[in-house]
Amino acid sequence: MNARQPPRLLTEDDLARHLAQAYRLARADDLSWRPIQEHLHARRSAAFIEAFAGQLVQHYAQVPGVCVFRKTRPAQHFKRGGSQRSEFLFDVLACVMEKCPPAIRADVGLLDFIQAPLFQMESELAQDTAEAAEDFSKLVCGAAPQSLFVGPLTHNPAAFLKVLSCIAPHVPGEEVYCGFILHPKDWADSDELPKLYRWRVDRWDEVSTQA
Protein backbone atom coordinates (compact mmCIF):
# COMPACT_ATOMS: atom_id res chain seq x y z
CA MET A 1 0.00 0.00 0.00
CA ASN A 2 1.53 3.32 -1.03
CA ALA A 3 1.71 5.98 1.65
CA ARG A 4 0.26 9.34 0.76
CA GLN A 5 2.42 12.43 0.88
CA PRO A 6 1.48 14.14 4.15
CA PRO A 7 -0.16 17.56 3.76
CA ARG A 8 1.71 20.67 4.79
CA LEU A 9 1.61 21.80 8.38
CA LEU A 10 -0.55 24.71 9.40
CA THR A 11 1.37 27.95 9.55
CA GLU A 12 1.26 30.22 12.58
CA ASP A 13 -1.02 32.53 10.60
CA ASP A 14 -3.31 29.60 9.71
CA LEU A 15 -3.64 28.53 13.30
CA ALA A 16 -4.12 32.06 14.64
CA ARG A 17 -6.84 32.66 12.05
CA HIS A 18 -8.59 29.35 12.78
CA LEU A 19 -8.55 30.01 16.52
CA ALA A 20 -9.95 33.52 16.17
CA GLN A 21 -12.56 32.49 13.61
CA ALA A 22 -13.72 29.49 15.64
CA TYR A 23 -14.16 31.71 18.69
CA ARG A 24 -16.13 34.26 16.67
CA LEU A 25 -18.35 31.59 15.13
CA ALA A 26 -19.04 29.94 18.49
CA ARG A 27 -20.00 33.27 20.06
CA ALA A 28 -22.14 34.26 17.07
CA ASP A 29 -24.12 31.03 17.41
CA ASP A 30 -24.52 31.78 21.09
CA LEU A 31 -26.25 35.16 21.00
CA SER A 32 -29.63 33.67 21.96
CA TRP A 33 -28.11 31.86 24.97
CA ARG A 34 -27.20 34.94 26.99
CA PRO A 35 -29.56 34.18 29.89
CA ILE A 36 -28.04 31.48 32.09
CA GLN A 37 -29.44 28.12 31.06
CA GLU A 38 -28.78 24.56 32.12
CA HIS A 39 -25.45 23.29 30.76
CA LEU A 40 -24.80 26.68 29.14
CA HIS A 41 -21.03 26.59 29.68
CA ALA A 42 -20.72 23.05 28.32
CA ARG A 43 -22.77 24.01 25.26
CA ARG A 44 -20.56 27.01 24.60
CA SER A 45 -17.40 24.94 24.97
CA ALA A 46 -18.83 22.35 22.58
CA ALA A 47 -19.74 25.10 20.10
CA PHE A 48 -16.12 26.28 20.13
CA ILE A 49 -14.77 22.76 19.62
CA GLU A 50 -17.12 22.16 16.70
CA ALA A 51 -16.26 25.52 15.14
CA PHE A 52 -12.52 24.86 15.46
CA ALA A 53 -12.90 21.37 13.99
CA GLY A 54 -14.86 22.92 11.12
CA GLN A 55 -11.91 25.22 10.43
CA LEU A 56 -9.64 22.18 10.13
CA VAL A 57 -12.12 20.45 7.83
CA GLN A 58 -11.96 23.45 5.50
CA HIS A 59 -8.17 23.63 5.76
CA TYR A 60 -7.73 19.98 4.73
CA ALA A 61 -10.64 19.91 2.27
CA GLN A 62 -8.39 19.35 -0.75
CA VAL A 63 -6.34 16.60 0.91
CA PRO A 64 -7.65 13.08 0.16
CA GLY A 65 -8.44 10.82 3.09
CA VAL A 66 -8.31 13.34 5.95
CA CYS A 67 -10.75 12.86 8.81
CA VAL A 68 -11.26 15.37 11.61
CA PHE A 69 -12.49 13.52 14.68
CA ARG A 70 -14.21 15.59 17.36
CA LYS A 71 -16.51 14.83 20.24
CA THR A 72 -19.26 17.08 18.87
CA ARG A 73 -20.05 15.18 15.65
CA PRO A 74 -20.04 11.55 14.40
CA ALA A 75 -17.16 10.71 12.08
CA GLN A 76 -17.36 8.90 8.76
CA HIS A 77 -14.69 6.39 9.78
CA PHE A 78 -14.55 3.49 12.25
CA LYS A 79 -18.27 2.76 11.89
CA ARG A 80 -19.29 -0.67 13.14
CA GLY A 81 -22.85 -1.89 13.01
CA GLY A 82 -25.07 0.90 14.20
CA SER A 83 -22.37 2.67 16.18
CA GLN A 84 -20.38 5.70 15.06
CA ARG A 85 -17.23 7.13 16.54
CA SER A 86 -16.92 10.84 17.23
CA GLU A 87 -14.03 11.69 19.57
CA PHE A 88 -10.77 9.81 19.06
CA LEU A 89 -8.27 10.28 21.92
CA PHE A 90 -8.44 14.09 21.84
CA ASP A 91 -11.09 16.81 21.69
CA VAL A 92 -10.05 17.30 18.06
CA LEU A 93 -7.80 15.03 15.99
CA ALA A 94 -7.08 15.51 12.29
CA CYS A 95 -5.47 12.53 10.61
CA VAL A 96 -4.97 10.79 7.29
CA MET A 97 -7.05 7.63 6.98
CA GLU A 98 -6.33 4.46 5.01
CA LYS A 99 -8.03 1.10 4.54
CA CYS A 100 -6.91 -2.51 4.83
CA PRO A 101 -8.64 -5.85 4.18
CA PRO A 102 -10.17 -7.76 7.12
CA ALA A 103 -8.38 -10.84 8.37
CA ILE A 104 -11.17 -13.39 7.85
CA ARG A 105 -14.58 -12.24 6.63
CA ALA A 106 -14.38 -11.03 3.03
CA ASP A 107 -17.95 -9.72 3.17
CA VAL A 108 -17.20 -7.15 5.86
CA GLY A 109 -15.50 -4.68 3.55
CA LEU A 110 -12.29 -2.80 4.03
CA LEU A 111 -11.30 -1.67 7.50
CA ASP A 112 -10.41 1.90 8.44
CA PHE A 113 -7.11 2.71 10.09
CA ILE A 114 -5.14 5.87 10.81
CA GLN A 115 -2.11 6.23 8.58
CA ALA A 116 -0.76 9.46 10.06
CA PRO A 117 -1.89 12.04 12.63
CA LEU A 118 -1.76 15.65 11.50
CA PHE A 119 -3.07 17.85 14.31
CA GLN A 120 -4.24 17.22 17.88
CA MET A 121 -6.08 19.60 20.19
CA GLU A 122 -7.17 19.47 23.81
CA SER A 123 -9.15 22.14 25.64
CA GLU A 124 -9.93 22.87 29.27
CA LEU A 125 -11.56 26.19 30.06
CA ALA A 126 -11.72 25.83 33.83
CA GLN A 127 -9.73 28.62 35.49
CA ASP A 128 -7.58 26.12 37.32
CA THR A 129 -3.95 25.34 36.47
CA ALA A 130 -4.32 21.81 37.88
CA GLU A 131 -7.07 21.10 35.33
CA ALA A 132 -4.94 22.69 32.58
CA ALA A 133 -1.89 20.58 33.49
CA GLU A 134 -3.96 17.40 33.37
CA ASP A 135 -5.47 18.07 29.94
CA PHE A 136 -2.29 19.51 28.45
CA SER A 137 -0.54 16.29 29.54
CA LYS A 138 -2.80 14.31 27.21
CA LEU A 139 -0.93 15.85 24.27
CA VAL A 140 2.27 14.18 25.49
CA CYS A 141 0.66 10.85 24.57
CA GLY A 142 -0.04 11.85 20.97
CA ALA A 143 2.12 11.68 17.86
CA ALA A 144 0.81 14.52 15.68
CA PRO A 145 3.40 16.98 14.32
CA GLN A 146 1.31 19.87 15.65
CA SER A 147 -0.42 20.16 19.03
CA LEU A 148 -2.68 22.83 20.49
CA PHE A 149 -4.01 23.29 23.99
CA VAL A 150 -6.81 25.81 24.52
CA GLY A 151 -7.23 27.16 28.03
CA PRO A 152 -9.06 30.03 29.76
CA LEU A 153 -8.11 33.63 29.02
CA THR A 154 -7.58 35.23 32.42
CA HIS A 155 -6.02 38.48 33.60
CA ASN A 156 -2.77 36.55 34.10
CA PRO A 157 -2.06 34.08 31.26
CA ALA A 158 1.58 34.01 32.37
CA ALA A 159 0.57 31.89 35.37
CA PHE A 160 -0.89 29.22 33.10
CA LEU A 161 2.05 29.42 30.70
CA LYS A 162 4.50 28.96 33.57
CA VAL A 163 2.82 25.68 34.52
CA LEU A 164 2.51 24.50 30.92
CA SER A 165 6.17 25.31 30.21
CA CYS A 166 7.06 22.33 32.42
CA ILE A 167 5.04 20.01 30.17
CA ALA A 168 5.54 21.50 26.70
CA PRO A 169 9.07 20.08 26.16
CA HIS A 170 7.66 16.57 26.52
CA VAL A 171 4.99 16.91 23.82
CA PRO A 172 6.15 15.05 20.69
CA GLY A 173 5.97 16.62 17.27
CA GLU A 174 7.38 19.66 15.57
CA GLU A 175 5.18 22.43 16.97
CA VAL A 176 3.34 23.00 20.25
CA TYR A 177 0.87 25.83 20.76
CA CYS A 178 -1.23 27.18 23.60
CA GLY A 179 -4.31 29.27 22.92
CA PHE A 180 -6.52 31.14 25.36
CA ILE A 181 -10.16 32.12 24.97
CA LEU A 182 -12.55 33.62 27.48
CA HIS A 183 -14.31 31.22 29.82
CA PRO A 184 -17.87 30.62 28.52
CA LYS A 185 -19.36 32.48 31.49
CA ASP A 186 -17.76 35.70 30.19
CA TRP A 187 -18.74 35.46 26.53
CA ALA A 188 -21.62 37.90 26.81
CA ASP A 189 -19.66 40.43 28.86
CA SER A 190 -16.38 40.93 27.00
CA ASP A 191 -15.08 41.14 23.44
CA GLU A 192 -11.49 40.29 24.34
CA LEU A 193 -9.83 38.38 21.52
CA PRO A 194 -8.14 34.99 21.87
CA LYS A 195 -4.41 34.81 22.49
CA LEU A 196 -2.05 32.28 20.93
CA TYR A 197 1.45 31.26 22.02
CA ARG A 198 4.01 28.94 20.44
CA TRP A 199 6.57 26.94 22.41
CA ARG A 200 10.15 27.79 21.39
CA VAL A 201 12.54 25.35 23.08
CA ASP A 202 12.48 27.13 26.44
CA ARG A 203 9.82 29.83 26.29
CA TRP A 204 6.38 30.77 25.00
CA ASP A 205 6.25 33.38 22.21
CA GLU A 206 2.98 35.18 21.49
CA VAL A 207 1.55 34.82 17.99
CA SER A 208 -0.71 37.53 16.59
CA THR A 209 -4.35 36.47 16.40
CA GLN A 210 -5.52 39.47 14.37
CA ALA A 211 -7.33 37.73 11.49
Side-chain angles (χ1 to χ4, degrees):
M1 185 176 296
N2 295 326
R4 295 189 182 102
Q5 184 70 22
R8 69 171 179 84
L9 299 181
L10 280 73
T11 65
E12 287 185 0
D13 287 344
D14 289 334
L15 189 51
R17 186 173 62 255
H18 295 335
L19 179 66
Q21 178 68 356
Y23 180 63
R24 280 197 296 268
L25 290 172
R27 288 190 70 202
D29 287 343
D30 187 58
L31 291 178
S32 63
W33 299 355
R34 292 196 176 201
I36 295 300
Q37 301 173 15
E38 186 178 6
H39 308 307
L40 175 65
H41 297 168
R43 289 170 58 185
R44 287 176 170 175
S45 296
F48 169 75
I49 290 172
E50 177 58 30
F52 185 84
Q55 294 296 299
L56 292 186
V57 169
Q58 293 180 31
H59 179 85
Y60 294 118
Q62 304 305 315
V63 183
V66 171
C67 179
V68 179
F69 292 97
R70 67 273 209 182
K71 62 183 181 182
T72 49
R73 179 176 298 200
Q76 297 301 309
H77 298 85
F78 293 133
K79 292 180 180 179
R80 279 197 293 273
S83 65
Q84 288 182 285
R85 175 175 287 278
S86 52
E87 186 175 9
F88 194 97
L89 300 179
F90 304 101
D91 287 346
V92 179
L93 174 66
C95 50
V96 179
M97 303 298 298
E98 265 292 1
K99 291 184 179 293
C100 64
I104 301 174
R105 292 181 55 190
D107 62 326
V108 170
L110 297 177
L111 307 178
D112 292 319
F113 73 92
I114 294 176
Q115 183 204 75
L118 300 173
F119 190 95
Q120 57 194 31
M121 187 267 271
E122 272 294 316
S123 64
E124 176 50 69
L125 299 181
Q127 296 175 339
D128 182 335
T129 54
E131 297 272 5
E134 179 178 338
D135 278 68
F136 191 87
S137 293
K138 295 176 183 178
L139 298 174
V140 177
C141 303
Q146 294 184 298
S147 296
L148 170 67
F149 173 77
V150 178
L153 181 57
T154 68
H155 68 282
N156 186 20
F160 276 80
L161 292 174
K162 182 179 180 180
V163 170
L164 301 182
S165 67
C166 298
I167 308 169
H170 305 290
V171 179
E174 300 174 39
E175 300 174 8
V176 180
Y177 294 88
C178 181
F180 293 106
I181 65 172
L182 287 172
H183 188 279
K185 68 182 175 60
D186 298 321
W187 282 16
D189 303 320
S190 174
D191 292 321
E192 192 167 358
L193 294 174
K195 292 184 180 295
L196 179 65
Y197 298 83
R198 180 174 176 179
W199 179 250
R200 304 277 192 184
V201 182
D202 61 355
R203 70 183 190 279
W204 292 101
D205 284 347
E206 187 168 3
V207 178
S208 173
T209 52
Q210 298 293 332

